[in-house]
Amino acid sequence: MLSKRVIAVSAEKTFQKKLAAALMAAGGAVEILNSLDELSAKEPDVDLIVYHVTEFPDTKLGPLLDRIKKDVKVITIIPTSDLEKMITLMKDDRLSNCLVAENLDMTMLSGVATRLLYGDVFGLEKFMPWGVRVYSMLVGDYQEKSVAIAAVSDFAAAMGVRRKYRESIEQCIDELLMNALYDAPVDADGKQMFAEVPTKTRISLRMEQKAVIQYACDGNQFAVSVRDSFGALQKQTVVKYIDKCLHAGSDKQIDRKTGGAGLGLYIIANSTSQFIINLYPGVATECVCTFALDVPKVQLKNFGAFHERIDASGRLVSSGGARLVGPGRSSAQPKAEVTVSSTGLRLALGAAVALVLVLAGIVLYPMLKRSKAGTIAITTTPPGATVEIDGSSHGRADPRLEVSLEAGSHTVTAHMAGHADAVQAVTVKAGSTTAVALALPLKRATVRIRSTPTQAKVLIDDKEVGMTPVDLGDLEPGSEHTLTVRQFGYVDDVQTLTVPEGGSEIMMSSSLRVAADFGSLEITSDPPGASVFVNDSVELPSPTPVKEYLVKSGQAYTLTMKLPGYMPQKVTVSVQAGARKVVAAKLEPGGALSVDSNVPEARVWVDGVLVGRVPLKDHALKQGKHRVELRGKRPWVQQAFEVDIKQGDDVQKSLQLGFVDVAVPGATALPKGSDGPGATRLALPEGQVTLVLSTKAEKKEKVVKIRAGETVRIESLE
């Protein structure tokens, strides 16, 4: 039974029907309105409102939000993927979700509506078809994070996910796990536990509360989620960080500062199809990212924040009694009161004393039996490293550390920020000093370079090192370089790059500006999916629709759009500097014609228009009937046939003719009934043909038998 009242607002009739079906599938009793003006002036009694936004800025949404109850959920749907518009809308805390109307998957809308209406939002399985297995891992430190990313990447590769998508998946997991491990943890007062801890120190810590990573793939979509056990993240924090990155100033070098998750969230929003934050304040936060694998370019189609619906006892509204327990919380029942008699107390104390004596004997016996100790003298390169022996810390080797140890084998480990650990097994001899020299290799720093748009050239000191997005790990820590990000049609973005210390990382972000002498084209076709060729030579990497293609201002460009089953269409266009022009092509259904013959000199005419010579390959024709002719003078040939082209047809026609050579001096020939001057060599179809032989003095008819590929020689008029 449909128990939740839902209002869907859209001015488009066909879209209204799709909205109604999707929302009814989510259990809503749906009312369709053409505009917000049709809502009553009173506070509407409704559980969910879905609003199709078609104009920006929208002046009607704000007054509506002021009238509705606080617990009413609102979904907005914008025409095309536009992160800035999504963030502008989601700044209003009363909005829960923003979807994209272009190619909207209505099952996605049903899922969003179900979670808003009924709760139970946590879990990756809600984003995958039934039967798709969801895998899980626990991550508690930096090392486990690296292992988890590698495991997910290997799984994606095994599922056939292309490299460009795997790189985005790895990057998102890295960002989400860094946030869950080092930004999410808070103390009892809600203060970030590691806000004042340097990055190089944080990554050496191991968390008691582990993060949970889930991942799954059905071949068309890859999904990953990361859940922490603190629930400190808020929707407005996410929106604020992304908005700040969207409107960043000229200072684009952004360090991985403590508590600074902003750029990571911005990167995630630009590389996923869905970005969902599930919130249970004080208990858990779950970030879900999905990647559409069957589209030319991943664009954000669903951005939202969901609050778990909890009843008075702390249980999920629709989870059948399951309870989420936050850090420091316990769901155990109160303990029963225990009473102990004085006699029992005396017995317990006596047993405790006896146990202490036994333990003391166990500990002291090997100490009394210990063999004579030796000494190790430890030095490190560079000096000042922290030294551990058999897992216990013994101070710093600055420049030398001497430790007395029991004779035998021991493991010595040296640690230093920015350097890899050095480990050495040492045998200590009784009564002697053993020298141990440990060299700690310098860790490389990581420089992550991102740009909008992507696939821009990256140059370090004028040397090309890759295309964005790219991570560099071979630059000397502490060194300075000139970073140039270059993309055709954009102004070079030149920055000074200071490489951080070893073992840490830095993010360099470039938002490229279109060059002053360039304009842009938006190229669409009906139907979409057409290949686009520029000036008949360069094919664009993505089919239509092409959101932006930069061209030199004032120059003419010929765009050819080709799609199997349709006629190619050519458009010549030019753009003024800084302008944007939309090129829209309506493709007509058609097929292709190929003509071959053993008369290679022959020309091919279609409907009276010369279209080429044989062999003619894949010549596009509209649907319908067409007259095709083969014409030539040496040899003389005039052969015609008709083709009936249907959409998607690939018609192959081969004409194999025989030949006639006229060897009579001064004589020429033509097939009977043909007009025009005669010829001394003719190409004719198989069968009996009546020829008219002509000289200046007379004309005579002669019947010849033609065979394909053979030549008949006429040596007399008789």
Side-chain angles (χ1 to χ4, degrees), residues 87 127 255 348 368 376 385 406 410 471 529 558 567 579 614 619 624 638:
I87 294 300
F127 293 83
D255 289 313
L368 296 172
I376 58 173
E406 180 185 356
H410 300 273
D471 295 340
T558 299
M567 293 289 295
V614 293
H619 178 70
Q638 285 189 5

Side-chain angles (χ1 to χ4, degrees), residues 668-683:
T668 60
L670 277 178
K672 186 176 180 179
S674 299
D675 297 326
T680 58
R681 181 171 174 81
L682 300 89

Side-chain angles (χ1 to χ4, degrees), residues 6 69 135 137 163 191 226 251 404 532 563 570 599 665:
V6 179
K69 297 177 182 178
Y135 299 85
M137 296 178 69
R163 181 176 180 80
K191 183 181 178 182
V226 172
D251 183 10
S404 179
V532 182
L563 183 65
K570 288 193 175 185
V599 187

Side-chain angles (χ1 to χ4, degrees), residues 167 448-458 466-471 483-487 508 510 512:
E167 290 176 350
R448 301 182 185 275
I449 303 172
R450 304 294 183 263
S451 72
T452 304
T454 59
Q455 297 302 304
K457 291 182 180 179
V458 177
M467 307 278 283
T468 59
V470 64
D471 295 340
L483 167 65
T484 304
V485 180
R486 179 174 297 162
Q487 177 81 291
M508 303 294 290
S510 293
L512 300 178

Side-chain angles (χ1 to χ4, degrees), residues 17-33:
K17 295 180 179 179
K18 294 180 180 179
L19 290 178
L23 296 171
M24 288 180 67
V30 183
E31 179 182 352
I32 298 293
L33 301 180

